[in-house]
Structure formats: structure tokens, C-alpha cells
Amino acid sequence: MGMPISHIMTSGMSGIRAAGDLVARMEFAKGMRIGEAKDYVAKKLDVTTADLSDEYVMRELREELGIGVITSVAGAPKGIAAKMNIEKLLDLKINSCEKFRGQLK
Amino acid sequence: MTEYKLRMGDGKRISMTKEQIIADLKEGMADAADLGDIPDLSEDEIDKLVDILTMPSRMVGVEQGMEVPVTHDIGTIRIDGDQGNSGVGIPSSRLVGAMMHERAFGADTMELGHIDYSYKPAKPVIAQEMQTMEVCQQNMIVPLLYGAMPNMGLYYTPDGPFENPGDLMKAFKIDEARESMEHSAEHLTRDIVWIMQRMMASGSDGVNFDTIGAAGDGDMYASLHAIEALRKQFPDIYIEAGMAGELLLGMHGELEYDGVTLAGLWPHQQAPLVAKAGANVFGPVVNTNTSKSSAWNLGRAVTFIKQAVKDSPLPCHVNMGMGVGGIPMLETPTIDAVSRASKAMVEIAGVDGI
């Protein structure tokens, strides 16, 4: 466990503590290189690229946007609900959300 | 004369002078440049590597604003798995493991994998894998891939249906050995596609090919064809193609993809083929030499990966687990060595992720 945590602390974007999941999603969804992915997400969030790794900026912004926060906030969107908000925010489709919608009657 | 604390490739602590560090960095760099027929690092880049390796603090970090997403091989198995999977043996479900990575460790992405962590053994328990993926996707926010090793060796006797090419080659039955690899590759491609069809039906974001080429060029041949088929069937699937080693071994020797012979390819030559097949993210590898210092290994690894990043049309998430990417080869890689290698890959090689 020490090795992956060391990488996260040294170089990582802190996942949903900040905006690491969003930048990773753009690399995977659109094949964007790191600079392009950060620019895209920063523009969508109306923040700077430096803010994407800044927990101070992202903590409140994530809660406001309903895209999931690191701490367990009662009533806040989590899991699939948060991902549905991420779809709208980043203007992309997420497979699990598509499957979820497909099961609704 | 001032001495600095570094590591050997096996993790043992050593002391080196600045001059010794520079000499080892340059020797490692020259080895990569010679093998891969690629450029040396610049003097500025060597100076930066020296700065990183001689920083007095135990742990170092990238400059603010240079952070990159981190992806994970083995995924949740490192929580509940045994030593063989680098697991720490905490009894927990894979959902709990995935959520711990997301909520407790700040992971940017996560993957779900089977305890036997190859595609073939996941087949008999596919319904269980689908159910677990569904539950994980309902609860997770970060991208969650299904990960496994292509591991073509499982298709050879005594584990699989095709005669072991190693045995055939020992009997000088070279053509028969090649045929066995070709048949195995066909089955491997079919199995990967079959499994991922079901994982995508269960809401997976995509797939992580962990250790492509572990069984040689046939292993990569099968993986590239699986990537191609999956991209065709699922245009939006996330595909990470991670390699097993720095040099693709020519067990078959004559297999080609897109007119390129696979045997003998280095990371910067592998990247364009992975992109052509349809992956989104490439995971290049450089092996660690346990008999050399971390300066030698890091100089070599950064030289190789910098060129792979340059030649890759895709984002590169360099493999930086135990024994690769300048990380020492031991079960518990030291934090001082991991953080230095991690910082060097981001700031000098310019990787898009780890």
C-alpha cells in the first residue's frame, strides 16, 4: 500500500479531494494529453488549472456542483448521481450512467 | 566529501558522492540511448535529476501545478489480497477496497480485478465479476476500469489447451511452437473481448490491460487485436494498455501488427502501435536493474520514458510499481526512492500520469 500512496502524495491530483478524477476522465474519454485535459476541465469549472489540485478551491466547488466530495455529506449526490452531474459538467457520456438510465421505467 | 543517501536497485541504502551520482546517471542514460537509439538527456535535465536525488528530505513532491492523474494496476486486490498480489490481507469486499482508494487515499482512478488477475480465470466467474462491477459503479465516482493480465502463458500446457512453445522449441519444433502461439493468441483475444463485452454491459468505464507482452510478442499481438475489436464495438470505452517490460520479447519472432514486427520493440516504438489499435492511455515500462544504483536506474528509465512520451500520440501513464520506472525491486519500495522517481518522471520525462 505504501507505494501507490507515495505516488498519490508525490505526483497525484488527489482524486475527489480535488479534481483528479475529472482530469483522468478526460484523458480516458477523449485521449487528451495532460495539458489539454487540465485546460478542458478548468474551463468547464471556471477555475485555473492550478486550482484543479487545490483542495481548498475544489472542496466547496465540488459540493456546489454536486459532483461528489471526499467527506460523507448527508444528502449530497454520491456514486451514480454524482457521475450524472459530471456528465453534464464535462459534456460527455459515462457508461454506468447510460446503463442506469436504461434500467429506469 | 559530502555523501548522499540513495538506494540500490534492490532497495538497499547506499551512500554516494555527487560525482558518483552524476557518473551513474550518465551511464544509465547512455545505456538507454544506445539500446533504444534515442537521444541523451540534456545537461539541464541531468542537473535536475541530480537535484532530485540529492534533496535532503525523506520525501519529495512535484512542483505545484504539475500534478498528474494516477492509475492503478491490481486495484482493490492490494487491500484484501495476499502477498502474491502485493495485498495486505485486510478482509474486505472489493467494493470496500475501491471506495477506500477513492475516499480515503485520494486515488484519481481505480480498477476492479479478479483475485487470479488474468482474463482467462475470470471467465468461469464472469457473473460474479459483472455483479461486483455493477455495485461498484453505483457507488463510485472516479473512473473505474476492469483490469487483468492478458497472460498468454495460461493457454499453454499444462494450464491450457495448446502445446507449450518452450517444450516445442527445446525439441527444435520451431514452426509448431509458432503455431501454438498463434492459436493461443486467437483464444486470448477472444477471451478478452468476451469478458469486456460483459463488463461493459455492467457499466464498466473500460479496461486496463496490465502487463501486455509478458508472454512475448504473441501476447502483444493478441492484446492489440483485442483493443482493436473493443474500440470497434464500444467507441467510448476507456482502454489503458500497460506493458510488462521495456523490450518486447520475440518468442514467436515474426508476428506483425500494422506491418510492424512486434519482436524487439522498445517503449517509444510500442506507443504508436497501441494508439493505432485504439487505446486511450499507454503504460510504458522500463525495468530496474537490482545490481545498479537508483541514480543509474533513474537516468536510464527517464531517458527511455521521455522518448516514449514524445513519440506517443496518447497520454502516457508510466508504470512505476515494484521494479519498474526507476523504483527499487522489492516488496516494500522505500518512500524516498518512490517519491524521487515519481517526481523525475513528471518533471523531466513529462508523463501524463502514473
Side-chain angles (χ1 to χ4, degrees):
Chain A
M1 280 311 309
M3 188 187 60
I5 291 174
S6 298
H7 280 307
I8 290 168
M9 294 298 115
T10 302
S11 309
M13 295 194 68
S14 301
I16 63 171
R17 274 174 67 86
D21 61 318
L22 307 180
V23 173
R25 208 173 267 289
M26 295 319 300
E27 286 192 356
F28 277 110
K30 303 294 180 190
M32 290 179 177
R33 304 300 293 248
I34 182 68
E36 191 186 358
K38 282 186 178 179
D39 286 343
Y40 184 90
V41 175
K43 195 175 172 189
K44 291 289 185 186
L45 266 60
D46 196 22
V47 297
T48 68
T49 53
D51 290 337
L52 298 175
S53 306
D54 187 338
E55 295 93 333
Y56 178 83
V57 174
M58 290 308 304
R59 173 60 184 80
E60 275 192 40
L61 184 57
R62 288 195 75 112
E63 187 166 353
E64 186 185 312
L65 294 170
I67 57 173
V69 290
I70 194 88
T71 46
S72 187
V73 178
K78 300 177 183 68
I80 204 97
K83 281 189 285 194
M84 285 180 162
N85 290 331
I86 289 171
E87 279 186 313
K88 286 182 201 159
L89 183 72
L90 297 183
D91 192 22
L92 47 78
K93 294 291 179 198
I94 295 175
N95 188 35
S96 56
C97 300
E98 293 275 81
K99 294 288 174 291
F100 185 81
R101 277 189 292 270
Q103 290 174 347
L104 298 176
K105 299 290 181 189
Chain B
M1 189 174 285
T2 307
E3 294 212 332
Y4 300 90
K5 291 173 180 171
L6 270 77
R7 299 280 172 179
M8 285 297 288
D10 66 357
K12 184 182 178 184
R13 192 186 291 287
I14 54 172
S15 293
M16 297 176 81
T17 64
K18 193 169 184 179
E19 289 68 29
Q20 289 172 324
I21 292 170
I22 293 170
D24 268 17
L25 277 171
K26 288 189 172 177
E27 196 181 305
M29 172 191 73
D31 189 57
D34 180 41
L35 289 169
D37 195 18
I38 55 178
D40 287 345
L41 299 174
S42 68
E43 284 300 322
D44 285 349
E45 288 165 337
I46 294 280
D47 288 346
K48 179 126 188 165
L49 275 170
V50 173
D51 287 346
I52 291 171
L53 287 169
T54 56
M55 283 175 176
S57 50
R58 178 195 187 209
M59 186 173 184
V60 301
V62 296
E63 291 173 23
Q64 292 192 46
M66 292 193 76
E67 300 87 353
V68 296
V70 177
T71 43
H72 300 261
D73 294 342
I74 213 75
T76 61
I77 302 169
R78 67 165 67 103
I79 300 290
D80 65 325
D82 65 300
Q83 181 196 28
N85 277 317
S86 310
V88 294
I90 300 172
S92 59
S93 69
R94 287 185 285 172
L95 169 63
V96 169
M99 292 183 75
M100 282 168 70
H101 276 81
E102 176 180 285
R103 309 278 170 89
F105 308 148
D108 299 306
T109 69
M110 196 38 346
E111 76 159 39
L112 179 70
H114 178 248
I115 190 68
D116 204 353
Y117 203 55
S118 294
Y119 288 100
K120 190 179 169 206
K123 282 166 59 185
V125 293
I126 190 66
Q128 178 69 29
E129 298 304 276
M130 292 170 71
Q131 173 187 293
T132 307
M133 177 58 80
E134 282 178 358
V135 172
C136 287
Q137 286 291 352
Q138 283 163 6
N139 288 281
M140 296 285 290
I141 297 169
V142 303
L144 179 70
L145 309 177
Y146 189 75
M149 300 187 294
N151 198 358
M152 201 169 84
L154 291 181
Y155 293 80
Y156 304 149
T157 52
D159 300 308
F162 301 108
E163 198 161 352
N164 197 306
D167 295 338
L168 290 167
M169 283 192 276
K170 275 192 289 187
F172 296 99
K173 295 180 177 176
I174 305 302
D175 288 341
E176 289 87 339
R178 283 183 171 146
E179 272 180 32
S180 183
M181 286 183 243
E182 289 161 19
H183 290 313
S184 298
E186 281 174 30
H187 279 243
L188 175 56
T189 299
R190 194 188 311 164
D191 284 351
I192 294 170
V193 172
W194 186 85
I195 286 165
M196 284 315 302
Q197 284 169 337
R198 280 143 191 84
M199 298 316 293
M200 290 302 286
S202 306
S204 179
D205 282 302
V207 57
N208 177 28
F209 287 75
D210 181 357
T211 65
I212 291 174
D217 47 353
D219 196 302
M220 186 167 189
Y221 180 85
S223 300
L224 291 172
H225 282 281
I227 291 169
E228 191 180 300
L230 288 169
R231 174 62 59 212
K232 195 173 175 187
Q233 190 169 351
F234 304 104
D236 296 327
I237 185 174
Y238 302 177
I239 302 178
E240 177 162 23
M243 301 303 295
E246 59 190 30
L247 178 70
L248 193 58
L249 298 176
M251 303 303 289
H252 184 290
E254 293 184 340
L255 292 171
E256 295 182 357
Y257 185 79
D258 196 36
V260 178
T261 301
L262 296 175
L265 295 182
W266 294 99
H268 63 289
Q269 298 162 326
Q270 297 157 7
L273 291 184
V274 166
K276 174 86 179 177
N280 300 105
V281 170
F282 174 53
V285 168
V286 178
N287 301 93
T288 294
N289 184 332
T290 55
S291 302
K292 298 286 189 180
S293 71
S294 51
W296 189 92
N297 279 299
L298 199 54
R300 187 173 183 276
V302 168
T303 304
F304 263 129
I305 298 300
K306 184 188 165 201
Q307 192 63 34
V309 170
K310 187 178 174 204
D311 291 355
S312 174
L314 302 174
C316 285
H317 283 211
V318 58
N319 274 272
M320 298 197 73
M322 293 160 280
V324 288
I327 305 283
M329 178 69 209
L330 79 157
E331 205 173 63
T332 50
T334 59
I335 290 169
D336 50 85
V338 172
S339 64
R340 279 164 178 75
S342 198
K343 178 177 169 71
M345 283 297 176
V346 173
E347 295 185 356
I348 301 171
V351 298
D352 303 272
I354 288 174

